Amino acid sequence: MEDIIRKRIYVDGRVQGVGFRYKVKYLAPGFGITGLVKNLDDGRVEMELQGTDSGIERLLQEINNDRFIVIKDMQWELISVIEEKGFHIR
């Protein structure tokens, strides 16, 4: 069984005003992902995704397949797993 991890991910591109946060919130439970997503003042989106590495990767691939969302750059770091339920937009 795969370990649970948590990634903080910063996404740059056409990611605000295109339904990015709502798409992530909608898809996350289907991949067993909890966490949060929020817009940043500089035009990027910040996400904290907690789940298996393969679940997180599949979620990111699905988001990248959206015709309105254009991901130009993604930076991530592993952070500590926390006790949490659900997925939230901030």
Side-chain angles (χ1 to χ4, degrees):
M1 187 163 160
E2 237 183 309
D3 288 339
I4 299 297
I5 62 169
R6 187 175 187 90
K7 286 183 176 180
R8 178 177 293 129
I9 304 171
Y10 295 97
V11 185
D12 197 5
R14 192 171 68 203
V15 293
Q16 289 192 14
V18 291
F20 185 99
R21 294 175 299 156
Y22 297 96
K23 178 128 187 163
V24 174
K25 182 177 176 19
Y26 173 76
L27 292 172
F31 295 107
I33 306 294
T34 60
L36 63 94
V37 60
K38 66 181 179 179
N39 285 340
L40 299 176
D41 291 340
D42 63 6
R44 296 180 301 160
V45 170
E46 178 184 348
M47 299 185 284
E48 288 186 16
L49 304 178
Q50 182 166 296
T52 62
D53 194 36
S54 62
I56 292 171
E57 287 305 313
R58 289 183 8 240
L59 173 64
L60 294 174
Q61 287 172 359
E62 190 69 28
I63 295 164
N64 207 22
N65 287 336
D66 188 285
R67 65 186 182 128
F68 298 109
I69 295 168
V70 178
I71 296 173
K72 292 186 176 172
D73 187 48
M74 194 179 303
Q75 298 174 337
W76 64 270
E77 62 183 335
L78 285 174
I79 58 176
S80 298
V81 172
I82 64 172
E83 185 71 33
E84 127 185 288
K85 291 183 178 161
F87 199 92
H88 309 282
I89 294 175
R90 298 227 171 120

